[in-house]
Amino acid sequence: MTQAVILAGGQGSRLRPYTDTRPKPMVEIPGTGLPIIGHQLEWLAAEGVTDAVVSCGYLAEVVLDWLATASLPLKVDPVVETEALGRGGGLKFAAAALPRPGEPWYATNGDIWTRFGLRAMAAFHQERDAHATLALARPRLPWGTVEVDRFGNVSDFVEAPPSPYPVNAGVYVFTAAFTSMLPDRGDHERSTFPQLARRRRLAGYELPQGVYWRAIDTAKDLNEAAEELAAFRSGRDTRR
């Protein structure tokens, strides 16, 4: 698979004041010199993607200016939503600009910073004959937890354990036919995905243990991502 869509139109209200002047994917992770979308494009290129469509909305001109001047590792075509189409409608709008409409494609939310093998996810998708496959992550809980035995005795305290439930990691593999299943407006996670799940054509790919994944939703996420990167560079890899 060699083509992908990045949804980069989100306002990122929880990341203010960073997002007062730029959309969330254009927020720089401290210490990297690159906005989130820059890391995504590098990752996609390393995984064999040659063409990406970047869907812009909120403060689209900031993304467009950066794409026009940045040294990019793959071919990028931006599209701009002039009206809100919802997540599903936005995906469909962006997919119409993919250079090879008869081939499968990746998609990622514009606020995800991750590194894992997309080729392995694509192979998983093909093996299951799914129309759509979503990556599943188990982020660390923001709280410590308490372990209790069957007698009600506290046996241990665990600081920020992984979630016992997988969450949508915001990275997808889609067949070419999936594009026509998306709504023109609205949220595919409330329409298309439930329909595919009932037909057993929606798959979930659990990220391998130890790979790096983080959704950048808040200033706290941004600072923790920077700390994790600094630890990794110093040889103290605390990333999960």
Side-chain angles (χ1 to χ4, degrees):
M1 291 174 56
T2 58
Q3 55 184 359
V5 165
I6 297 177
L7 294 176
Q11 294 189 24
S13 57
R14 290 193 293 165
L15 253 180
R16 288 176 177 160
Y18 298 101
T19 51
D20 286 341
T21 58
R22 67 199 64 206
K24 183 159 49 167
M26 284 302 301
V27 173
E28 181 180 322
I29 297 174
T32 70
L34 273 181
I36 298 168
I37 193 173
H39 294 280
Q40 291 183 324
L41 291 171
E42 286 186 346
W43 171 51
L44 291 172
E47 289 297 318
V49 174
T50 59
D51 297 88
V53 175
V54 175
S55 179
C56 310
Y58 172 69
L59 295 177
E61 63 277 7
V62 178
V63 183
L64 298 177
D65 288 347
W66 183 80
L67 290 174
T69 58
S71 177
L72 303 175
L74 71 174
K75 186 176 184 296
V76 177
D77 289 315
V79 296
V80 180
E81 286 185 41
T82 56
E83 55 182 330
L85 301 175
R87 290 187 296 175
L91 264 180
K92 190 172 189 176
F93 176 71
L98 287 168
R100 293 172 289 280
E103 296 182 10
W105 47 290
Y106 299 112
T108 180
N109 296 340
D111 58 355
I112 301 300
W113 190 23
T114 186
R115 288 292 188 275
F116 68 90
L118 278 175
R119 294 178 180 90
M121 182 178 174
F124 176 92
H125 167 83
Q126 292 171 345
E127 289 169 0
R128 279 144 188 83
D129 194 29
H131 278 307
T133 297
L134 53 152
L136 303 176
R138 293 182 183 269
R140 291 192 173 274
L141 298 176
W143 319 280
T145 61
V146 180
E147 293 185 356
V148 182
D149 66 20
R150 62 192 182 95
F151 301 107
N153 300 309
V154 173
S155 58
D156 201 2
F157 296 89
V158 182
E159 183 64 29
S163 168
Y165 301 104
V167 302
N168 183 346
V171 181
Y172 310 90
V173 180
F174 298 134
T175 62
F178 176 79
T179 307
S180 64
M181 302 175 191
L182 287 164
D184 293 327
R185 292 176 180 272
D187 189 346
H188 60 292
E189 294 190 9
R190 296 178 180 272
S191 56
T192 310
F193 277 1
Q195 293 171 13
L196 291 178
R198 288 192 290 270
R199 293 164 49 196
R200 298 294 188 268
R201 301 298 296 275
L202 179 67
Y205 175 75
E206 291 219 28
L207 298 186
Q209 186 174 7
V211 305
Y212 187 73
W213 178 89
R214 178 176 284 278
I216 309 295
D217 289 322
T218 66
K220 182 174 182 288
D221 294 324
L222 197 63
N223 293 331
E224 288 180 351
E227 290 172 3
E228 290 160 354
L229 178 65
F232 174 72
R233 286 175 170 171
S234 66
R236 297 178 295 103
D237 191 353
T238 61
R239 300 182 299 175
R240 295 292 185 267

